[in-house]
């Protein structure tokens, strides 16, 4: 994800710009891929940073929801880039399974929070324990050479 600039004020005497240099994936990241099927009648957009789970019976991924009972309630990775999937379409998604990820940039479904408990452990704890090795960090280290 690239940094963003938001122009707050621009007049003949002054220019104020907010710079957001934060990233989601900040170092040592490893990727995996899996299929996602949009079984709705509308296009679906999955946003970069969405926490994903995997349906045990099909092996397909979908956004993690703590109330699910099909295996997708357990985190397997974090979506690498925003993707729009057409109605009825199946696509291959790339997601991060290991490395440093900024905690505040992870997108959760519905009313889930990092503190939501799934089978006795919070989502935050499950991300570190159920994935290959996603490490949630506080922020981007702008001096690190490997920020993506």
């Amino acid at each position: 994800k690239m940094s963003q600039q938001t122009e707050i004020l621009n007049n003949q005497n002054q220019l104020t710009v907010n710079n957001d240099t934060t990233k989601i994936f900040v170092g040592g990241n490893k990727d995996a891929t899996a299929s996602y099927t949009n079984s709705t009648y509308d296009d679906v957009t999955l946003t970069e940073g969405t926490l994903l789970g995997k349906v045990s019976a099909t092996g397909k991924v979908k956004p993690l929801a703590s109330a699910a009972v099909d295996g997708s309630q357990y985190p397997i990775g974090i979506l690498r880039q925003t993707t729009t999937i057409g109605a009825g379409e199946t696509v291959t998604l790339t997601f991060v399974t290991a490395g440093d990820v900024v905690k505040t940039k992870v997108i959760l479904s519905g009313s889930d929070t990092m503190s939501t408990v799934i089978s006795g452990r919070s989502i935050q704890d499950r991300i570190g324990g159920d994935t290959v090795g996603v490490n949630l960090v506080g922020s981007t280290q702008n001096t690190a050479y490997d920020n993506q």
Side-chain angles (χ1 to χ4, degrees):
K1 180 173 181 171
M2 302 300 293
S3 58
Q4 295 179 320
Q5 293 184 326
T6 305
E7 193 172 288
I8 304 300
L9 173 68
N10 187 359
N11 62 37
Q12 65 187 18
N13 298 318
Q14 189 175 14
L15 172 64
T16 304
V17 177
N18 283 346
N19 292 301
D20 177 5
T21 58
T22 60
K23 312 274 190 289
I24 296 173
F25 310 107
V26 293
N29 300 115
K30 306 282 188 233
D31 294 340
T33 60
S35 293
Y36 171 89
T37 297
N38 176 2
S39 56
T40 71
Y41 294 105
D42 298 311
D43 292 353
V44 171
T45 299
L46 300 178
T47 305
E48 174 185 37
T50 298
L51 184 61
L52 300 174
K54 185 183 285 187
V55 178
S56 301
T58 64
K60 293 186 178 183
V61 295
K62 64 184 196 178
L64 180 141
S66 62
V69 294
D70 59 4
S72 67
Q73 69 270 31
Y74 302 113
I76 61 154
I78 300 165
L79 186 62
R80 178 60 94 165
Q81 70 181 44
T82 299
T83 305
T84 299
I85 304 99
E89 186 178 19
T90 297
V91 298
T92 299
L93 297 178
T94 301
F95 53 94
V96 170
T97 60
D100 293 340
V101 177
V102 177
K103 177 181 169 182
T104 57
K105 298 288 186 172
V106 176
I107 298 170
L108 302 173
S109 298
S111 61
D112 287 344
T113 68
M114 288 291 182
S115 299
T116 300
V117 175
I118 302 169
S119 297
R121 295 174 65 199
S122 70
I123 288 178
Q124 178 174 328
D125 290 343
R126 286 207 165 275
I127 290 171
D130 293 353
T131 63
V132 175
V134 170
N135 179 38
L136 296 175
V137 296
S139 66
T140 302
Q141 299 173 0
N142 290 323
T143 58
Y145 72 90
D146 60 355
N147 285 346
Q148 300 175 8

